[in-house]
Amino acid sequence: MFLVGKHAELEKKIKMYRLVFRASSIVCLIAVFAIFSQLPFLYNSMHETGKVLKYQAQECSNSAERLWEDIHGFKPRRSNGDDLPSSVCKANANESCAPKFRDLVA
């Protein structure tokens, strides 16, 4: 009778281990399915984000080019405010050819 009690206890343990194994297997399969079902959505989201970032970078680059062209489109001036001839500016590419801040503000 002692063996029957041990045998019954062993059967209970085996049933519990099977139940835990099955439950953990089901949870693992659900997790794997959830991950793989979300991959296309993640890819699409990242692809769209990349397109938006490229567009914004291009707009920033275009804006910087326009600003650069606007800044270099000013007439060069001497520190006293007189215009410099363009030949002097091209021959001597120095600070005196750059527009002064007060000229930009005024």
Side-chain angles (χ1 to χ4, degrees):
M1 190 157 209
F2 181 72
L3 291 175
V4 173
K6 277 283 201 184
H7 185 64
E9 187 178 318
L10 186 61
E11 285 295 322
K12 284 182 184 179
K13 283 184 180 182
I14 290 174
K15 285 182 183 180
M16 290 303 295
Y17 285 130
R18 284 182 183 160
L19 179 69
V20 170
F21 174 74
R22 288 179 181 147
S24 62
S25 298
I26 290 171
V27 169
C28 182
L29 287 174
I30 290 172
V32 168
F33 176 74
I35 289 171
F36 283 115
S37 66
Q38 291 299 314
L39 285 177
F41 297 113
L42 290 173
Y43 174 79
N44 192 24
S45 172
M46 297 304 282
H47 186 68
E48 289 298 319
T49 302
K51 280 202 280 190
V52 168
L53 287 176
K54 284 179 185 176
Y55 175 76
Q56 288 177 350
Q58 185 63 36
E59 285 295 313
C60 184
S61 176
N62 291 342
S63 176
E65 285 178 13
R66 284 193 303 272
L67 284 171
W68 188 259
E69 289 170 0
D70 288 347
I71 288 173
H72 286 289
F74 290 123
K75 279 186 148 186
R77 298 184 182 274
R78 291 195 171 107
S79 57
N80 65 2
D82 295 337
D83 288 345
L84 279 175
S86 60
S87 61
V88 172
C89 241
K90 289 179 183 171
N92 302 329
N94 56 19
E95 286 184 29
S96 65
C97 292
K100 302 297 181 198
F101 181 73
R102 68 175 186 273
D103 296 331
L104 295 174
V105 176

